[in-house]
Amino acid sequence: MSVTIRTRHAFHALLATALLGWAAVAPAQEANPAASGAVTAAPAPASPAAASAAAPKAEGGIRSQNIFDVKPEASADPNYLNQTNGERNKVQPGNNAPMWRQVSGGVTGYSSLPVSQAPEAGNLIQRFVQYPGSRFTNAGEAWRQVRNDWIIPYGAALLFVTLLALAIFYFTRGPIRLHGTETGRKIERFTPFERATHWSNALAFVTLAISGIVMAFGKFFLLPVLGSTLFGWLAYVLKTVHNFVGPLFVVTTLFMIFTFIRSNWPSKDDFTWLRHGGGLFGGKEPASHRFNAGEKAVFWGGVLFLGSIVIASGLFLDKLLPGFVYTRGEMQVAHMVHAVATLLMMAMIMGHIYIGTLGMDGAYKAMREGYVDEAWAREHHKLWYDDIQAGKIPAQRSQPAGAPEPARPATAQQGTSA
């Protein structure tokens, strides 16, 4: 019985092996009949009529093409230059003169993106414009020409010339020193709130100026030194800092305007100060109120006028102003306005920083501690000092703990000389 079972199992295994071998050989023989030794007759050539009937009818218009069956480019056709626009559109669809004229003319195509999120998704190339200093070309190229040919080189020259002029003036004339002798009696020039407002605005401005200089000019003087990787990270970090410090500069500038606008109101005495050049080029310094005409020019021209332009354009570039679409053209114009106003403001503030630090003895101490000596006030701001002596302005406007004793109006016995 066991022998019969073993025989049956062996027979089944042999049959399965034969079937598997036949399944593997049969397809190969069908694909290559000659391999099995069969001889087949060659097919008779089809008649022209039959071939014509079997061939698919050619369709007009744009025809699809297998990417692996690449034909010579359209310009290889000997009749390429004689083709009409209609013929060109068939052999070279999407890459012909009429199509690119429409694209460069600002024609809006179809886009599935919503207009509220991507208002220019259907515009591949901007319309032709001519910005100041550019050729008549598409807006993107015009912006690039203005930036690279005007803003960058002339902006760098403005900052360099300003810095050079201040250095020459300092090393030839030195700082403006006090001619009299200090009396020891102090006058409060800036309250703690005024100093906090000034220093917060100054720190925000310096941070924005340094980060802006690196982003605009860093590739010329930092990239060769740091290399592309380190400079790329530095520029990215400073760009992020620039965007976050910008709103702080907006708030502190508003505080600056409302805090100091009353003392910077123009007066007729400012024209006398300007006519004598502030006494910087010889002669006695003209009398002025709490702020002279030069400081008022920085306030009205730098902080208020240029500062407002810088703030408005910066908020626009950050897309923080409501009610705008923020197209490429608007962003390009905002960038050019922002860059020009910023460079002019930086040049003006550089002169202000020089006078407030190295250029005049006692100026930096006044903003740091809040107090100046009577002799300093009388020499640099005579009209302000006279108003204090007359009691029109208090010598001490705040009451911090441990503050110096406020200056007293001079009596006839004391006199007013140092």
Side-chain angles (χ1 to χ4, degrees), residues 256 264 292-307 345 347-353 355:
M256 284 282 293
N264 280 279
N292 57 43
E295 293 169 310
K296 292 179 180 179
V298 172
F299 176 83
W300 291 101
V303 177
L304 186 60
F305 178 69
L306 292 176
M345 187 177 182
M348 182 174 289
I349 297 299
M350 285 171 65
H352 174 72
I353 294 175
I355 292 295

Side-chain angles (χ1 to χ4, degrees), residues 103-136:
V103 171
S104 61
V107 174
T108 301
Y110 169 79
S111 174
S112 60
L113 297 176
V115 178
S116 59
Q117 298 179 10
E120 291 185 304
N123 293 86
L124 184 61
I125 299 178
Q126 295 174 265
R127 293 181 179 273
F128 273 49
V129 298
Q130 186 172 12
Y131 294 137
S134 75
R135 299 190 303 271
F136 183 71

Side-chain angles (χ1 to χ4, degrees), residues 31-313:
N32 188 10
S36 61
V39 178
T40 59
S47 64
S52 176
K57 184 177 180 180
E59 299 179 358
I62 300 175
R63 297 184 298 274
S64 62
Q65 180 179 347
N66 192 320
I67 61 173
F68 297 105
D69 185 19
V70 179
K71 297 179 180 179
E73 61 182 39
S75 59
D77 188 344
N79 197 37
Y80 178 78
L81 297 179
N82 297 325
Q83 291 174 349
T84 64
N85 289 333
E87 295 171 338
R88 185 71 54 79
N89 193 38
K90 292 182 179 180
V91 300
Q92 203 171 0
N95 186 21
N96 52 78
M99 180 267 188
W100 284 109
R101 288 193 191 100
Q102 293 180 353
V103 171
S104 61
V107 174
T108 301
Y110 169 79
S111 174
S112 60
L113 297 176
V115 178
S116 59
Q117 298 179 10
E120 291 185 304
N123 293 86
L124 184 61
I125 299 178
Q126 295 174 265
R127 293 181 179 273
F128 273 49
V129 298
Q130 186 172 12
Y131 294 137
S134 75
R135 299 190 303 271
F136 183 71
T137 180
N138 64 77
E141 173 62 17
W143 167 81
R144 190 194 69 84
Q145 292 176 7
V146 174
R147 179 188 183 275
N148 293 352
D149 298 341
W150 293 91
I151 295 178
I152 294 298
Y154 289 99
L158 173 64
L159 298 182
F160 177 76
V161 169
T162 303
L163 185 62
L164 181 63
L166 294 175
I168 293 175
F169 188 85
Y170 176 78
F171 287 108
T172 56
R173 298 293 303 274
I176 301 174
R177 303 188 182 279
L178 188 65
H179 295 91
T181 305
E182 291 188 353
T183 63
R185 295 186 295 271
K186 301 295 183 180
I187 297 175
E188 187 180 32
R189 181 159 173 78
F190 300 108
T191 65
F193 178 80
E194 291 172 340
R195 285 183 285 130
T197 300
H198 175 272
W199 282 117
S200 59
N201 184 254
L203 290 175
F205 177 82
V206 171
T207 302
L208 293 174
I210 293 176
S211 57
I213 288 175
V214 172
M215 288 188 290
F217 310 106
K219 68 177 182 179
F220 301 106
F221 65 93
L222 283 179
L223 180 59
V225 178
L226 301 179
S228 59
T229 302
L230 185 57
F231 175 75
W233 278 104
L234 177 63
Y236 175 79
V237 171
L238 291 180
K239 174 184 176 295
T240 305
V241 171
H242 194 94
N243 291 338
F244 277 96
V245 176
L248 175 62
F249 178 73
V250 175
V251 175
T252 56
T253 300
L254 292 176
F255 272 89
M256 284 282 293
I257 293 173
F258 288 107
T259 301
F260 295 103
I261 190 171
R262 183 177 180 181
S263 299
N264 280 279
W265 206 257
S267 66
K268 61 180 181 179
D269 301 294
D270 296 329
F271 295 99
T272 303
W273 192 94
L274 291 172
R275 189 168 60 251
H276 292 86
L280 294 177
F281 304 98
K284 184 180 178 181
E285 183 175 350
S288 63
H289 290 277
R290 185 186 177 199
F291 296 122
N292 57 43
E295 293 169 310
K296 292 179 180 179
V298 172
F299 176 83
W300 291 101
V303 177
L304 186 60
F305 178 69
L306 292 176
S308 299
I309 297 176
V310 169
I311 288 173
S313 57

Side-chain angles (χ1 to χ4, degrees), residues 12-28:
H12 288 168
L14 181 62
L15 179 61
T17 303
L19 290 175
L20 290 175
W22 177 82
V25 173

Side-chain angles (χ1 to χ4, degrees), residues 178-184 373-376 378-379 417-418:
L178 188 65
H179 295 91
T181 305
E182 291 188 353
T183 63
D373 191 84
E374 277 190 358
W376 189 95
R378 184 172 59 248
E379 182 170 329
S417 60

